[in-house]
Amino acid sequence: MNSISIPTHNWNSGLYEDKHAFVWQYGEDLLQLLNPKAGELILDLGCGTGQLTEKIAQTGAQVMGIDSAATMIEKARQNYPQIEFDVADARNFQVEKPCDAVFSNAVLHWVKQAEQAIASIHQALKPGGRFVAEFGGKGNVGAIVTALENAIASMGIHQPQTLNPWYYPSIGEYATLLEQQGFDVIYASLRDRPTPLADKEAGLANWIEMFAGAFFVGISAEQKTQIIRHVEEQLKPTLYQDGTWTADYRRIRILAIKL
Ligand code: BEZ
């Protein structure tokens, strides 16, 4: 994952691999849409610790993984020394040779400058090349974000909206951006994907710790603990059942062809 272009985010690759394996496990399904073929040149944009990059390599495709987080790339290289991995930013990366496909799982909701990322992806592809992506779409983790904002406000803290690090477009919005930059969007979907979190009753707190640090800029550790408790109280009736938290994910999935 899935960690491209998040200036305020420090990625903990250990916590990511230990408790958030669902990120690449769900992504395996997206590989069917990519349909990689032996000999193709494929870029995995936001490869995280490399698990899906390696699955693509197993098909005989020549694959390279990039991620903005040096910690993730270091771990990916340890995990799969036979694959090429590099640190790069989704908003301005360049490739030496145009690719047959750019693949991206659970990353692009971190890239608020979507036009810049789309321009980079476009220049990285051959004409006829495929862009296959899945990420958080309109309404993603809406209940969690609302509960976080309520909990922060209820303590009399006023955080600017700009601290929210995520971009969750609708199909119409994202397809329009792609078309404006020379893509033919041949498939798009938006669907709820409730996602059970690891670690039983600690699941939501771990998720917030791993991914939602940006909301806590300028907030003390004690206040943060109280806010997380308050978020849990608000969400328990809807997102906690039989000892497991479930995050209200909504995924947008795209297949677009470079014209
Ligand atoms: C997601 O995959 O939808 C996601 C992951 C972390 C933070 C926010 C969203």
Side-chain angles (χ1 to χ4, degrees):
M1 158 157 92
N2 330 48
S3 53
I4 276 216
S5 312
I6 315 131
T8 55
H9 201 94
N10 290 320
W11 287 95
N12 177 337
S13 60
L15 183 61
Y16 173 68
E17 281 199 324
D18 284 353
K19 306 283 184 208
H20 302 88
F22 65 82
V23 174
W24 66 82
Q25 286 162 355
Y26 278 110
E28 287 188 26
D29 186 42
L30 186 64
L31 293 176
Q32 289 174 19
L33 192 61
L34 175 65
N35 190 18
K37 294 173 202 74
E40 282 193 324
L41 187 57
I42 298 182
L43 181 77
D44 183 1
L45 172 62
C47 60
T49 46
Q51 282 76 11
L52 290 177
T53 328
E54 199 271 336
K55 291 260 184 252
I56 295 169
Q58 278 177 18
T59 67
Q62 188 189 332
V63 63
M64 177 183 172
I66 60 173
D67 201 290
S68 68
T71 49
M72 293 290 195
I73 289 298
E74 196 182 327
K75 195 72 178 49
R77 286 177 177 150
Q78 281 168 17
N79 287 343
Y80 308 107
Q82 73 282 14
I83 297 177
E84 189 180 345
F85 292 102
D86 258 317
V87 177
D89 187 320
R91 295 165 300 183
N92 57 26
F93 68 91
Q94 293 200 329
V95 291
E96 280 171 17
K97 246 178 100 184
C99 299
D100 295 290
V102 172
F103 172 84
S104 183
N105 177 56
V107 173
L108 292 170
H109 50 258
W110 292 103
V111 185
K112 285 183 163 177
Q113 300 90 341
E115 289 97 332
Q116 291 177 33
I118 290 168
S120 296
I121 293 162
H122 190 267
Q123 63 77 36
L125 285 167
K126 298 175 181 167
R130 333 195 276 290
F131 170 43
V132 176
E134 180 171 312
F135 54 102
K138 189 176 166 91
N140 193 44
V141 293
I144 298 177
V145 170
T146 301
L148 260 173
E149 288 173 348
N150 287 345
I152 291 169
S154 74
M155 296 189 61
I157 301 168
H158 299 289
Q159 295 289 62
Q161 271 293 321
T162 49
L163 285 185
N164 182 327
W166 301 314
Y167 166 67
Y168 297 138
S170 67
I171 289 177
E173 190 179 336
Y174 206 73
T176 302
L177 294 182
L178 287 165
E179 286 170 358
Q180 280 168 348
Q181 294 207 43
F183 279 99
D184 199 8
V185 179
I186 63 169
Y187 173 82
S189 67
L190 178 67
R191 66 179 180 98
D192 289 331
R193 196 201 66 201
T195 301
L197 302 177
D199 243 6
K200 300 287 173 195
E201 65 278 6
L204 183 60
N206 279 349
W207 188 93
I208 292 171
E209 200 62 56
M210 176 82 204
F211 297 120
F215 287 87
F216 297 97
V217 170
I219 291 179
S220 72
E222 292 75 26
Q223 286 175 320
K224 182 175 175 181
T225 305
Q226 282 182 50
I227 289 166
I228 293 175
R229 291 288 92 81
H230 189 186
V231 170
E232 289 174 332
E233 281 161 23
Q234 290 176 75
L235 296 177
K236 208 154 206 173
T238 49
L239 298 186
Y240 186 73
Q241 209 177 3
D242 301 329
T244 298
W245 285 98
T246 298
D248 55 332
Y249 279 24
R250 286 190 101 198
R251 314 315 282 169
I252 184 166
R253 196 174 263 207
I254 299 284
L255 169 54
I257 307 293
K258 176 171 170 168
L259 293 169

